[in-house]
Amino acid sequence: MRIRALLFWAVAAMAAIPAMVGTQGAQYPITVIAPGTGPYTFPAGYQTPWDKIQIRVTAKMSPNLFVLHGSEGLDPAHPDASGGRVMALFGPDGVLMVDTENRQVAEKTLQAIRTFTDAPIKVLVNTHLHSDHTGANAFFARQGALIFSQENLQSELLRPPARANGQPAPAPDMAGIPVAIYNYNAAAPGQPAVTFNMNGETVDFIPMMPSHTAGDTIVRFRKANVVYIEDFYRNFGYPFADQANGGSIRGMLDAVDLIEKLAGPDTTLVPGHGTLVKKKDLLGYRAMLVDILAKVKTLRDQGKSLKEVLAANLTAPYDKTTQGDTQQSKDRFITEVYDEMKDFPPVVDGKRTMPNHP
Ligand SMILES: [Zn+2]
């Protein structure tokens, strides 16, 4: 009798486990601070007050996987929340970071990490080269981080394209250059280049096709069921492909389609900016890319100039549902699509030589 009762208990306990795990999992992600929605305006000559910008934990993706992000309403480059999101996986094996925020808030980013872990900073992966994602690379390398990225990103950081005004870009801080590099394999999209088993989590660094830049990486946390999808998708402002650094609007469409294959319906997708999403939320964005690509192609095939295509106001149907829909944001998007339709320069060492528009 006793044994049977024990067996009953054991079976009952085992049956209860999946339900318990399910309930626990459902607590995540936890949004701590949502990004702002605007609209935002900044006076002419406004300078970002870096001393006022705070870096805080804005979301918890699992008990040991947190998201950090900057304050709302202060940074004109990203008014909804300053800088690019950072993710930190932490525990006895040390800290694995995704991106590093702007250089000016490096110390604050470390302090924010120190509010939840004393573990050493061990691994850093860069999703793309922009300074709101790599600006504090050198700072975190000095904390002990080994930096991983695509080879194209390393090349983009080492040899940045000239600025729009023709001035050469400033020399990089060599301490912040990635040292562990890998490449995108067009024969196997979605295949991880690097996999870490740390702190009870399995983390994949998945190199992407030229999309937001030619050096993009997405980062998958298998157990937490989370993918950091960086900036080829955005829900604040119109799409932006950094074509001079090898990006492509068509590549961003391919990137969205790869996420469709890699993510499950419940996978939380973490963009570099804007709100956290699920893959169904990418459908409207995808449809807009397809629509704009087709409409710009038609006009360019008819011999229309860039000025005429911009004047056609093709983004009008999307303005109502696109937060941060500034004129600058929509003109940049349409100009990029226009440039991709004809004589689009190839990627060489992570860069493209783009035409100058007067
Ligand atoms: Zn970004």
Side-chain angles (χ1 to χ4, degrees):
M1 276 305 273
R2 230 185 188 159
I3 288 167
R4 277 180 68 184
L6 269 170
L7 259 173
F8 171 80
W9 266 106
V11 170
M14 277 164 66
I17 285 167
M20 277 169 60
V21 170
T23 313
Q24 276 179 344
Q27 292 173 3
Y28 293 94
I30 299 166
T31 297
V32 182
I33 304 167
T37 54
Y40 304 97
T41 51
F42 297 93
Y46 177 89
Q47 300 280 321
T48 302
W50 294 107
D51 57 318
K52 290 207 179 86
I53 287 173
Q54 297 180 56
I55 303 294
R56 293 169 296 192
V57 173
T58 57
K60 298 181 179 180
M61 313 311 291
S62 83
N64 66 336
L65 178 62
F66 289 4
V67 175
L68 309 170
H69 211 174
S71 319
E72 174 190 354
L74 293 169
D75 176 356
H78 295 293
D80 56 322
S82 176
R85 280 194 175 88
V86 164
M87 293 190 74
L89 171 73
F90 58 96
D93 301 327
V95 177
L96 180 150
M97 287 177 74
V98 182
D99 289 343
T100 60
E101 269 287 352
N102 286 292
R103 174 182 56 78
Q104 294 90 337
V105 292
E107 190 68 55
K108 290 179 197 176
T109 304
L110 178 62
Q111 280 169 17
I113 292 172
R114 289 293 170 240
T115 62
F116 55 80
T117 181
D118 292 326
I121 311 289
K122 286 251 176 97
V123 176
L124 163 62
V125 57
N126 283 148
T127 66
H128 63 285
L129 89 154
H130 294 150
S131 55
D132 53 334
H133 295 259
T134 62
N137 266 17
F139 176 88
F140 281 100
R142 290 186 189 103
Q143 303 297 317
L146 192 65
I147 309 179
F148 287 71
S149 82
Q150 272 208 57
E151 187 172 11
N152 276 342
L153 188 154
Q154 183 195 50
S155 168
E156 291 155 2
L157 274 178
L158 282 171
R159 291 178 290 278
R163 290 176 164 175
N165 61 11
Q167 293 290 311
D173 182 339
M174 292 307 291
I177 302 297
V179 290
I181 59 171
Y182 48 84
N183 288 291
Y184 170 67
N185 176 6
Q191 192 177 72
V194 178
T195 298
F196 270 98
N197 287 289
M198 274 177 79
N199 303 317
E201 180 58 271
T202 302
V203 190
D204 296 312
F205 302 168
I206 303 175
M208 297 298 277
M209 63 288 290
S211 42
H212 183 53
T213 70
D216 289 22
T217 292
I218 61 171
V219 185
R220 177 171 61 192
F221 299 87
R222 291 193 212 172
K223 195 174 153 198
N225 196 15
V226 168
V227 185
Y228 187 106
I229 61 166
E230 43 102 10
D231 291 10
F232 60 77
Y233 166 82
R234 63 190 300 163
N235 56 29
F236 194 95
Y238 278 101
F240 169 48
D242 181 352
Q243 294 168 320
N245 281 303
S248 150
I249 297 284
R250 279 199 176 106
M252 285 165 54
L253 188 58
D254 293 339
V256 168
D257 287 346
L258 183 59
I259 295 298
E260 172 63 29
K261 293 190 190 116
L262 292 179
D266 299 324
T267 305
T268 301
L269 306 174
V270 181
H273 313 274
T275 59
L276 307 186
V277 290
K278 307 282 184 190
K279 74 174 183 180
K280 68 169 167 38
D281 300 316
L282 270 50
L283 292 175
Y285 184 79
R286 187 189 189 284
M288 174 177 71
L289 289 174
V290 170
D291 177 45
I292 297 291
L293 279 159
K295 284 180 176 153
V296 172
K297 182 176 188 319
T298 303
L299 293 178
R300 186 144 193 193
D301 286 350
Q302 289 167 4
K304 297 271 195 280
S305 68
L306 173 60
K307 214 175 150 190
E308 288 168 319
V309 175
L310 289 172
N313 198 14
L314 298 174
T315 51
Y318 304 104
D319 286 349
K320 250 202 195 103
T321 49
T322 305
Q323 282 177 359
D325 60 321
T326 61
Q327 194 61 43
Q328 188 257 354
S329 169
K330 55 186 93 163
D331 285 356
R332 179 175 67 182
F333 173 41
I334 297 297
T335 302
E336 291 187 335
V337 176
Y338 183 87
D339 283 341
E340 282 194 39
M341 289 303 150
K342 211 177 146 205
D343 306 325
F344 190 40
V347 178
V348 179
D349 288 337
K351 289 171 278 295
R352 295 182 205 274
T353 309
M354 294 302 297
N356 275 324
H357 294 291

